[in-house]
Amino acid sequence: NAGVTQTPKFQVLKTGQSMTLQCAQDMNHEYMSWYRQDPGMGLRLIHYSVGAGITDQGEVPNGYNVSRSTTEDFPLRLLSAAPSQTSVYFCASSRTGGRLEFGEGSWLTVV
Amino acid sequence: AQKVTQAQTEISVVEKEDVTLDCVYETRDTTYYLFWYKQPPSGELVFLIRRNSFDEQNEISGRYSWNFQKSTSSFNFTITASQVVDSAVYFCALSGGDSWGKLQFGAGTQVVVTP
């Protein structure tokens, strides 16, 4: 049972480049979400989804897009990377009433 | 709006000392859930406990214990007889009852346990 799988684990981007952080879960969880972690600020919600085809913005959505075409996958897209998006990104999933299961994190540096 | 405050940025203790981490929350929801997660130096997030707003019983799990008090909007966490392996960042988080899957995190408390 793989749980929540995030790829890539490390990535360096140049300002203006685009990329997609992949997230997949094999637990048939309906809820999926993306958080970013910055020093001294805890984790902040970027986008979340309550099921396939349904997404909504979190606290810090600017500069990021998401889609949820299947229950299993919830990719996070950076359309034009900026240095302010240098962070650690965590994907999470849960079922109703269950705890959030987190991926191992993706370390992104934008230069 | 929901808010979680972890006022302690860092706590340093010597092994075998007890450590208490404070968490104060704000919410207008009548039904909500509180969580504690541990983030060791390796970076992953490890679930420790979930408590719903209707269950104010304190809980003990091995060396860990939690004190939930709705009257003071607090959900404090104590590590008894700390060990070096307890060194980590600990996050308190809050989820509203109708917004499952969306957590509001505190800033985290770094616990450093030295031998």
Side-chain angles (χ1 to χ4, degrees), chain A residues 31 33 35 37 40-43 45 48 59 90 94-100 102 104 107, chain B residues 33 35 37 39 42-45 47 50 89 91 99-108:
Chain A
Y31 296 92
S33 50
Y35 295 82
Q37 182 178 13
M41 301 187 73
L43 281 80
L45 181 65
Y48 74 101
E59 181 183 354
F90 287 94
S94 68
R95 57 174 174 79
T96 302
R99 70 194 201 195
L100 262 69
F102 285 88
E104 293 184 337
W107 275 252
Chain B
Y33 298 83
F35 301 78
Y37 280 85
Q39 186 176 43
S42 51
E44 73 272 22
L45 287 159
F47 169 83
R50 180 188 71 211
V89 180
F91 291 101
S99 57
W100 197 266
K102 298 170 62 178
L103 291 188
Q104 180 71 46
F105 281 83

Side-chain angles (χ1 to χ4, degrees), chain B residues 74-85:
Chain B
S74 65
F75 186 42
N76 297 337
F77 171 37
T78 296
I79 304 172
T80 302
S82 61
Q83 300 175 2
V84 173
V85 294

Side-chain angles (χ1 to χ4, degrees), chain B residues 1-4 24-34 53 68 70 73 94-99 104:
Chain B
Q2 298 181 337
K3 185 178 180 181
V4 177
V24 175
Y25 63 92
E26 297 176 25
T27 181
R28 295 179 181 176
D29 293 329
T30 54
T31 301
Y32 53 89
Y33 298 83
L34 294 161
S53 53
F68 176 30
K70 287 181 71 172
S73 296
L94 167 69
S95 174
D98 61 350
S99 57
Q104 180 71 46

Side-chain angles (χ1 to χ4, degrees), chain A residues 24-41:
Chain A
Q25 54 94 5
D26 61 359
M27 297 169 284
N28 201 32
H29 286 172
E30 59 266 47
Y31 296 92
M32 296 188 74
S33 50
W34 277 101
Y35 295 82
R36 60 176 287 172
Q37 182 178 13
D38 301 295
M41 301 187 73

Side-chain angles (χ1 to χ4, degrees), chain A residues 50-101:
Chain A
V50 301
I54 306 170
T55 63
D56 205 348
Q57 295 181 351
E59 181 183 354
V60 288
N62 293 340
Y64 308 95
N65 279 351
V66 291
S67 61
R68 184 120 179 250
S69 56
T70 66
T71 300
E72 295 78 18
D73 300 301
F74 192 44
L76 179 72
R77 298 182 184 85
L78 285 72
L79 299 180
S80 180
S84 61
Q85 294 178 303
T86 294
S87 188
V88 183
Y89 292 85
F90 287 94
C91 180
S93 74
S94 68
R95 57 174 174 79
T96 302
R99 70 194 201 195
L100 262 69
E101 302 285 352

